[in-house]
Amino acid sequence: MTTGPLAGLRVLEMGTIIAGPFAARILGDYGADVIKIEPPGRPDPLRDWGQGEYRGQHFMWTVIGRNKRCITLDPRTGRGREIFLELVARTDVIVENFRPGTLERWGLGFDVLSEANPGLILGRVSGYGQTGPYASKPGYASVAEAVSGMRSINGFPGEAPPRMAVSLGDSLAGMVAVQGVLAALYSRSVTGKGQVVDIAITEACLSVLESSIPEYDKLGAVRRPGGTKLDGIAPSNIYRSSDGLWMVVAANQDTVFGRLCEAMGRPELATDEKFVDHLARGRNQDEIDGIVADWVAARPAAEVREILDGAGVIVGPVNTIAEVVTDEQFLARDMIVAHHDERLDEDVLGPGVVPTFAGTPASVRRAGPALGADNHEVYAELGISDAELEELTTAGTI
């Protein structure tokens, strides 16, 4: 039996690549019954994505496709359209990430969908949103991160703005989509009416840029990349230990800086006029960074961590994934969990469910299933016989 805070919620997932499927994955993690629809013979490209290959399989789908039932269906015409609208009538939420206007071209705009189900929540994820001069443009996370200003403040001064080794913009948009869907579900509990939730990847990126916009508005200040530091925030940087490991030490808050000074055996720094408060340390950032760097460089990482942990100073190693999967904190909180991958008939490690729930625990129930793996089960729930299913499969409808 499926558990989780959203157990009993029915979600249809349409679209491909990352942002929409990531949002649906989160809803599935929370216990929703997520049914992913893929066109017959045209699987989601995510099934073949991922940098590593094992026995002919890649692993993006293992994680992004988890906790879903997968069916094939062409919803554009004829019997396929009828079946799709039957599914819509039994659905709480649709998540799609087509280019704006796609559903309308298929004759399946929100007016049609809401006629089939007045309480339907339609989460629409796209590069730039459903309106505005850029709405019709395709958009990937790499461009959204750039257009939103996110990439302009990342990296090192004078160098090309780097990109993350993951699609951060898509993940942000997926989380924003879940946030919007849950808010719309709450609204529906009050009004009884569904609605469209419009999520732009660019805007998801823009929303996390903190005070960058008001700083420009009132000061004309354009935030620039600071490398490993954040300008004016000190000491908060990465420092190399004597055994060559990088450590994050973040002690920019006044009280924490005082504890750091005591731990380093330099209590006088806390009252030095150059470092006495947050603003002073920001003005003398390079100097205080150098002092902390020298202290860390004289000790192995384990000693640095032991001293600063004991002093109540924020510290942590820059872990690789190899260290993450054995980290005792992640393991203790079930953040590294087995996904049984049906393609391999093996367990594959992946991330756990975030956040955790005390009363309605969520879980990873399955890895991403094969294309159309759940056709018989889902269509049987609609009363479609095996004989009709075979006919529809032959016709290319399913």
Side-chain angles (χ1 to χ4, degrees):
M1 181 179 178
T2 300
T3 62
L6 296 183
L9 189 77
R10 170 68 64 85
V11 177
L12 291 183
E13 177 202 319
M14 306 174 72
T16 60
I17 313 299
I18 299 176
F22 184 75
R25 184 208 100 179
I26 295 174
L27 295 170
D29 286 352
Y30 296 169
D33 177 17
V34 177
I35 299 174
K36 180 176 179 67
I37 299 175
E38 295 169 271
R42 287 185 289 140
D44 190 331
L46 278 180
R47 292 178 176 275
D48 295 319
W49 280 26
Q51 295 182 4
E53 182 178 325
Y54 174 74
R55 290 173 49 191
Q57 302 295 337
H58 296 81
F59 294 111
M60 185 78 82
W61 182 248
T62 300
V63 175
I64 303 297
R66 76 187 189 192
N67 290 338
K68 299 175 183 179
R69 297 196 287 170
C70 289
I71 64 172
T72 51
L73 179 66
D74 184 348
R76 293 173 295 179
T77 58
R79 182 62 174 138
R81 176 188 174 88
E82 292 175 358
I83 292 170
F84 177 70
L85 290 175
E86 287 181 46
L87 286 168
V88 170
R90 301 169 178 230
T91 292
D92 298 289
V93 177
I94 294 178
V95 176
E96 60 98 343
N97 62 337
F98 300 123
R99 201 182 303 189
T102 298
L103 287 181
E104 286 75 11
R105 287 195 301 274
W106 294 352
L108 293 171
F110 186 66
D111 55 339
V112 175
L113 300 178
S114 60
E115 185 176 345
N117 183 348
L120 181 72
I121 307 300
L122 176 60
R124 312 195 74 171
V125 186
S126 60
Y128 300 95
Q130 300 296 310
T131 61
Y134 298 169
S136 63
K137 297 177 64 170
Y140 275 2
S142 55
V143 175
E145 292 160 16
V147 170
S148 67
M150 177 181 284
R151 285 181 70 170
S152 74
I153 62 175
N154 189 29
F156 289 83
E159 296 186 7
R163 65 177 298 173
M164 293 284 289
V166 295
S167 296
L168 178 61
D170 281 327
S171 299
L172 287 172
M175 288 186 280
V176 169
V178 171
Q179 171 185 306
V181 163
L182 294 179
L185 286 168
Y186 176 79
S187 176
R188 188 183 71 179
S189 73
V190 177
T191 66
K193 297 180 180 178
Q195 61 180 300
V196 174
V197 180
D198 182 357
I199 306 102
I201 305 174
T202 48
E203 293 162 4
C205 294
L206 181 68
S207 70
V208 298
L209 297 190
E210 299 175 346
S211 59
S212 299
I213 291 176
E215 286 167 3
Y216 173 75
D217 180 43
K218 294 305 179 185
L219 303 172
V222 177
R223 190 177 293 191
R224 299 295 185 187
T228 62
K229 66 183 181 182
L230 188 60
D231 285 343
I233 308 296
S236 181
N237 210 328
I238 61 171
Y239 308 93
R240 195 169 225 163
S241 63
S242 64
D243 50 352
L245 301 179
W246 290 104
M247 306 289 292
V248 174
V249 178
N252 47 291
Q253 186 179 341
D254 290 348
T255 53
V256 181
F257 179 67
R259 296 198 291 268
L260 172 64
C261 295
E262 291 286 346
M264 293 192 303
R266 299 287 305 275
E268 75 281 1
L269 294 176
T271 55
D272 188 314
E273 63 179 10
K274 292 184 294 184
F275 313 126
V276 69
D277 59 26
H278 178 79
L279 294 176
R281 291 191 296 278
R283 291 191 295 267
N284 297 282
Q285 185 165 21
D286 290 341
E287 184 175 354
I288 191 59
D289 261 345
I291 292 171
V292 177
D294 289 343
W295 183 82
V296 173
R299 292 160 178 80
E303 182 181 338
V304 171
R305 196 171 183 182
E306 182 180 4
I307 292 172
L308 297 188
D309 276 342
V313 176
I314 295 86
V315 62
V318 180
N319 283 336
T320 67
I321 294 300
E323 284 116 25
V324 167
V325 297
T326 58
D327 186 280
E328 60 182 355
Q329 177 68 16
F330 289 132
L331 293 174
R333 288 177 56 80
D334 293 326
M335 287 297 115
I336 308 296
V337 298
H339 297 54
H340 188 74
D341 197 317
E342 298 167 6
R343 301 171 302 172
L344 301 168
D345 195 24
E346 290 184 22
D347 285 349
V348 179
L349 290 182
V353 178
V354 181
T356 62
F357 297 85
T360 52
S363 63
V364 175
R365 302 176 296 282
R366 71 190 299 194
L371 179 69
D374 301 291
N375 279 352
H376 282 275
E377 180 179 83
V378 172
Y379 291 128
E381 293 170 2
L382 297 181
I384 295 175
S385 67
D386 287 348
E388 184 182 4
L389 182 60
E390 185 175 347
E391 292 176 4
L392 292 170
T393 301
T394 301
T397 299
I398 289 175

